[in-house]
Amino acid sequence: MKIIHHLLLSVTVAFSFADSFAQENAKAHNPVIYADVPDESIIRVGNTYYMSSTTMHMSPGLPIMKSADLVNWQLVSYAYDRLVDNDAMNLDNGKNTYGRGSWASSLRYHNGTYYVSTFAATSGKTHIYTTKDIEKGPWTTIEFKPDLHDHSLFFDDDGKIYMLYGAGNLTLVQLKPDLSGIVEGSEKVVIENASAPAGDNIMLKAEGSQLFKIKGKYYLFNITWPRGGMRTVVIHRADKISGPYEGKLGLQDLGVAQGGLIDTPDGKWFSYLFRDNGAVGRIPYLVPVEWKDGWPVLGTDGKVPQTLDLPANKTLIPGIVHSDDFSRKKGQRDLPLVWQWNHNPDNALWSVKKRKGFLRLTTGRVETDILSAKNILTQRTVGPVCTGYTSVDVSNMKDGDFAGLTLLQKNYGQVGIKIEGKNRFIVMINAGDGTPVEAARIPVTEKTVHFKAACDFTERKDMANFYYSTDGKNWNKIGTPLKMTYTLPHFMGYRFGLFNYATKATGGYADFDYYRIEETISNE
């Protein structure tokens, strides 16, 4: 009997442990999205959450994502197709807008209309986009000068509309009823030295404003960065939108900061924030919020928890990134929402219709390197590991053309076919130290070549390797490992990119048969 009793006890303990493990795994975990989705602004409309984010120099831009649980998100729209048509955004005349374009946005829902606003040094304007249907559009554009830095759009109960913006000293302005500009004489600095709750030795002045009204009080969230410390959340509150405001330190853990507040239909509160996480980019976190003495208290004992009392994270495929065989049925978009162009594309030089089941990239001008090349089609990398694949038919490329797969950032890596005279070479370029170096060159005769890049962002390892194959089955590593570095000039996590550019003459084209992404790392 003792043996049976001990056996039953062991089985019970084992099942209890397994059940506990299963329950723990059924919870959400941080980061909620292991990909570059910075500067989030989140609203809830009924039981559905919507989020806007920053993609800067990419087109289309100002992505809108949707979630039923705050954890698992899918792209549903972009607020604009093109931010502006100028040399910088078009990559013309030697100009670019890497690391600029549109920055932090403010997403709002008011009286049946969705509003998302942003600002851009590239245009010198503040941009407001409105729609009745956030998922299907269409979007209406309103623009005015100047560009109000890191503003928060706010509709007050009395019908007045405001923006609160700035860095360090934060300014409130009232907007005209039609949102076409600032009401003259309405500017007022409402908080001087908004970083003060985090100390007096500050290297990043308080910015990233997000303003909320909860139970009659105004709450303002900002990010700041004490010198020698970490990115920090500061919170201010006031009884009137014009102040006076009192402030306190909101969260100082893991460098998780910049964001705001969101509640669930059942009355729970969270703060949505992001963390700089090396080469993969700035990745979203959620922290639970409790209310004490009229203040939101962030985190679990002041810390960012690893798990959350929310539904478990699912794969980022297909919601945030996705594979594509470039086959299109009638009525489908030419490019799914997961794709964005590096800068504004030249739409005359790409097609998914000229050859069924292929993306065709045609050269339209001579380039010096990949960073100046038009029509690089990109998707995010994802962590902790991922692999991107493609296949290129190079039959119609011209002398000097270079086509293939890149990991795009200032310190990029690329692998592809380069045509020199009548010869074809697989070439790998490594710009990991800031200077592009040809790390490998292999002659080939095949007209179709497959390429892949495998990324390891685990614990900020930030390493990638490139591979090629002539049959799509047997892979060969090529060149040198790429040390990926998040650089401020590009201000974006690494992206997979499909490219074709000319270095001698225009008119050649490359046909890409597929793009595949996996949340695994493949070294073979």
Side-chain angles (χ1 to χ4, degrees):
M1 290 295 295
K2 287 184 178 180
I3 294 175
I4 294 175
H5 174 75
H6 285 302
L7 181 61
L8 289 173
L9 182 62
S10 298
V11 171
T12 301
V13 169
F15 274 109
S16 176
F17 177 80
D19 184 59
S20 175
F21 181 76
Q23 289 180 7
E24 191 69 14
N25 281 349
K27 291 184 177 181
H29 61 77
N30 274 316
V32 290
I33 302 175
Y34 207 139
D36 193 45
V37 183
D39 304 333
E40 314 104 278
S41 183
I42 300 179
I43 59 172
R44 179 173 61 84
V45 179
N47 293 323
T48 303
Y49 303 93
Y50 292 101
M51 172 169 63
S52 63
S53 180
T54 297
T55 52
M56 292 176 287
H57 48 276
M58 296 290 169
S59 292
L62 222 173
I64 306 295
M65 286 153 271
K66 172 186 177 180
S67 176
D69 57 17
L70 268 180
V71 176
N72 298 287
W73 296 86
Q74 67 178 78
L75 283 156
V76 293
S77 183
Y78 290 95
Y80 64 79
D81 186 56
R82 289 175 179 243
L83 173 70
V84 66
D85 268 308
N86 60 20
D87 283 353
M89 198 70 205
N90 293 335
L91 272 176
D92 283 341
N93 297 317
K95 295 184 178 180
N96 68 70
T97 192
Y98 283 115
R100 295 186 296 277
S102 64
W103 280 9
S105 58
S106 181
L107 179 62
R108 295 289 181 261
Y109 179 71
H110 180 69
N111 289 343
T113 299
Y114 295 89
Y115 300 80
V116 60
S117 58
T118 186
F119 70 103
T122 305
S123 66
K125 296 179 180 179
T126 297
H127 303 259
I128 302 174
Y129 304 93
T130 71
T131 185
K132 292 290 186 180
D133 189 336
I134 195 170
E135 298 185 36
K136 296 180 181 179
W139 292 85
T140 299
T141 303
I142 304 167
E143 302 173 342
F144 62 82
K145 291 186 176 182
D147 53 326
L148 301 183
H149 177 83
D150 276 15
H151 64 254
S152 183
L153 177 64
F154 190 83
F155 295 86
D156 212 345
D157 298 336
D158 60 3
K160 293 180 179 179
I161 310 169
Y162 298 91
M163 279 187 173
L164 196 154
Y165 70 96
N169 296 336
L170 304 181
T171 300
L172 182 73
V173 295
Q174 185 179 342
L175 299 186
K176 297 175 182 179
D178 62 0
L179 304 177
S180 62
I182 297 170
V183 173
E184 187 175 351
S186 67
E187 296 91 343
K188 178 185 178 181
V189 175
V190 293
I191 304 177
E192 294 185 357
N193 188 18
S195 305
D200 57 6
N201 189 13
I202 301 296
M203 59 186 261
L204 174 68
K205 294 180 179 179
E207 60 178 17
S209 292
Q210 295 204 32
L211 182 64
F212 308 88
K213 191 174 187 179
I214 301 166
K215 295 184 178 180
K217 282 188 179 289
Y218 299 86
Y219 294 88
L220 177 64
F221 275 58
N222 292 98
I223 181 176
T224 191
W225 193 350
R227 198 174 303 278
M230 68 181 72
R231 287 171 173 79
T232 299
V233 178
V234 292
I235 305 172
H236 288 81
R237 72 176 184 183
D239 293 323
K240 296 180 179 180
I241 194 169
S242 58
Y245 284 83
E246 56 178 327
K248 65 184 297 184
L249 193 148
L251 181 69
Q252 199 170 60
D253 185 43
L254 302 178
V256 173
Q258 188 163 338
L261 290 169
I262 192 71
D263 66 341
T264 65
D266 59 357
K268 296 175 184 176
W269 285 87
F270 292 88
S271 182
Y272 55 86
L273 306 160
F274 69 76
R275 182 186 189 186
D276 285 2
N277 208 68
V280 76
R282 297 178 289 170
I283 60 179
Y285 277 67
L286 289 172
V287 299
V289 171
E290 293 184 0
W291 289 88
K292 294 182 180 179
D293 302 323
W295 286 95
V297 179
L298 277 57
T300 303
D301 297 325
K303 300 295 182 182
V304 176
Q306 183 176 351
T307 59
L308 300 157
D309 188 18
L310 288 168
N313 311 61
K314 299 176 184 176
T315 174
L316 299 183
I317 303 171
I320 303 298
V321 297
H322 198 27
S323 300
D324 194 348
D325 64 4
F326 301 116
S327 296
R328 301 290 181 262
K329 296 178 181 178
K330 187 176 181 179
Q332 285 185 320
R333 296 173 58 95
D334 281 356
L335 291 175
L337 294 171
V338 290
W339 289 113
Q340 286 179 286
W341 297 99
N342 176 32
H343 291 66
N344 289 340
D346 183 336
N347 289 324
L349 298 176
W350 70 271
S351 175
V352 292
K353 297 176 180 177
K354 289 186 176 179
R355 183 180 177 187
K356 187 176 180 180
F358 287 81
L359 166 71
R360 177 166 294 178
L361 297 180
T362 303
T363 64
R365 69 182 187 191
V366 172
E367 311 286 6
T368 56
D369 60 28
I370 196 169
L371 296 181
S372 63
K374 282 199 176 189
N375 288 12
I376 301 177
L377 189 60
T378 78
Q379 285 196 38
R380 293 170 177 85
T381 56
V382 300
V385 296
C386 62
T387 304
Y389 305 75
T390 194
S391 170
V392 191
D393 181 339
V394 303
S395 304
N396 296 286
M397 293 170 63
K398 289 187 175 183
D399 182 22
D401 288 0
F402 195 0
L405 177 67
T406 182
L407 283 169
L408 187 64
Q409 232 272 2
K410 177 179 177 292
N411 296 355
Y412 60 88
Q414 66 184 116
V415 65
I417 289 288
K418 190 167 187 180
I419 309 298
E420 294 186 1
K422 296 182 179 180
N423 299 313
R424 302 186 184 107
F425 298 90
I426 299 176
V427 175
M428 188 267 171
I429 304 292
N430 191 326
D433 64 357
T435 302
V437 174
E438 184 178 298
R441 170 181 290 255
I442 300 170
V444 289
T445 57
E446 287 80 4
K447 294 183 178 180
T448 298
V449 184
H450 307 258
F451 301 104
K452 74 176 180 179
C455 305
D456 188 350
F457 301 108
T458 308
E459 296 180 351
R460 304 196 187 191
K461 185 177 180 180
D462 293 349
M463 296 299 298
N465 285 291
F466 288 83
Y467 302 80
Y468 75 93
S469 171
T470 55
D471 60 10
K473 298 177 182 178
N474 300 294
W475 293 91
N476 304 282
K477 186 181 289 188
I478 185 170
T480 52
L482 174 69
K483 174 58 178 174
M484 296 180 287
T485 305
Y486 187 97
T487 70
L488 291 181
H490 276 216
F491 213 177
M492 182 175 285
Y494 275 76
R495 286 191 167 227
F496 292 112
L498 308 181
F499 69 89
N500 179 34
Y501 61 91
T503 64
K504 293 182 180 179
T506 63
Y509 60 86
D511 287 340
F512 293 79
D513 187 16
Y514 64 81
Y515 170 79
R516 289 197 282 270
I517 184 168
E518 298 175 353
E519 292 179 285
T520 58
I521 195 163
S522 174
N523 294 316
E524 298 180 355

